[in-house]
Amino acid sequence: MVPSATFHFYQLEVDSSGLLARWGSLYEMFQHSFDNDARIQTNSWGSSSGLGDYTADSRSVDDFTFDNPLFLALFSSGDHGNSGISPPSTSKNALSIGSSNTGSFDSIVAGNSSSFSSMGPTSDGRIKPDLIAPGVMICSARAEEAEFASGQDCSDSSHDGSNVPLYMTLNGSSMATPVVAGAAAMVRQFLREELAIANPRSDLIRAILVNGAEDLGTPNVPNPSEGWGQLNLSSSLYPRSGDQNLSL
């Protein structure tokens, strides 16, 4: 989506069992990311305990983004259906992302949030997720070392010297979240290059994405399953009302 962007990556998985171990506190990890010039961080992980609750990690997200308003943190909402949102996606300042159907590879047709995608509200009554984005049968990179990977092949390409596919399909809010992160990077680039805003704040980027979101199904946003709707980058950057151009 943003081919000239640079990024750095945090490995949270300890081993092939799926056990996660964080790099210090969230505040410290965000600080390290910020110090390495990152202004958008996408996180496809969360806790399966305390669903819906505002946890210490949730507060850490809010503390850092309050102290550093140029930093946008995105978290997947989780895949727990109506059991609740995975912390720290319950934080107030994080952009919480759920999954929508795509119709890809004969999956459920697009037009609604995915049944597995975690629903709000949070335990203290706030709307989460904030947005949803395509998260079903997304063609995703597969590591050669991934022993227990499960997914449908979606490319003829394979790792050098092996028959392990380079790509496979995956489902989840973890797939949807980087889609929105890419859109956020494009909004940031638009603000910098088209509107000459040298250092766009994260709340401005967030507001632009939310205001362009598409209400799926019954027109009732915000709601606990899709928040303010499905990501629609075109409507965010080039909004229209009938024949009237409302562009930024």
Side-chain angles (χ1 to χ4, degrees):
M1 296 178 73
V2 278
S4 295
T6 58
F7 71 97
H8 61 280
F9 176 81
Y10 294 93
Q11 178 177 320
L12 299 180
E13 192 169 9
V14 175
D15 52 35
S16 60
S17 69
L19 181 67
L20 300 183
R22 197 169 59 229
W23 191 92
S25 70
L26 272 186
Y27 197 105
E28 291 171 322
M29 185 172 75
F30 287 167
Q31 187 66 61
H32 182 266
S33 187
F34 191 86
D35 291 344
N36 281 275
D37 298 325
R39 296 297 177 266
I40 298 169
Q41 187 178 71
T42 179
N43 298 270
S44 289
W45 60 273
S47 175
S48 58
S49 61
L51 295 177
D53 292 346
Y54 189 83
T55 64
D57 279 345
S58 305
R59 179 174 179 174
S60 190
V61 175
D62 285 340
D63 284 346
F64 187 85
T65 50
F66 179 82
D67 293 341
N68 300 272
L70 301 183
F71 189 84
L72 177 64
L74 299 93
F75 277 88
S76 53
S77 66
D79 301 331
H80 305 288
N82 59 10
S83 295
I85 303 291
S86 293
S89 197
T90 51
S91 65
K92 299 172 183 178
N93 295 338
L95 196 55
S96 173
I97 310 300
S99 169
S100 61
N101 297 325
T102 63
S104 298
F105 299 96
D106 298 321
S107 61
I108 298 174
V109 296
N112 286 289
S113 58
S114 306
S115 59
F116 59 76
S117 188
S118 286
M119 297 174 59
T122 62
S123 299
D124 56 1
R126 289 176 291 110
I127 291 291
K128 290 286 177 175
D130 298 302
L131 295 171
I132 58 174
V136 175
M137 300 298 278
I138 302 298
C139 198
S140 311
R142 172 177 174 166
E144 188 174 8
E145 302 85 355
E147 299 178 21
F148 306 112
S150 60
Q152 179 179 324
D153 294 350
C154 54
S155 168
D156 294 330
S157 301
S158 59
H159 288 277
D160 291 342
S162 78
N163 59 0
V164 177
L166 279 172
Y167 303 97
M168 66 179 183
T169 58
L170 290 171
N171 304 325
S173 59
S174 291
M175 300 295 104
T177 305
V179 173
V180 181
M186 295 180 74
V187 170
R188 187 173 188 274
Q189 179 181 3
F190 183 92
L191 294 171
R192 286 166 55 87
E193 296 183 358
E194 301 298 325
L195 300 183
I197 302 175
N199 293 295
R201 287 172 53 112
S202 61
D203 50 2
L204 175 59
I205 296 172
R206 175 193 182 111
I208 290 172
L209 292 173
V210 165
N211 276 282
E214 178 184 358
D215 191 354
L216 298 183
T218 303
N220 61 348
V221 294
N223 63 62
S225 61
E226 59 182 309
W228 274 260
Q230 179 172 258
L231 174 73
N232 187 326
L233 185 59
S234 178
S235 293
S236 288
L237 296 181
Y238 304 102
R240 301 186 66 86
S241 178
D243 295 330
Q244 184 180 5
N245 185 350
L246 304 176
S247 294
L248 297 174

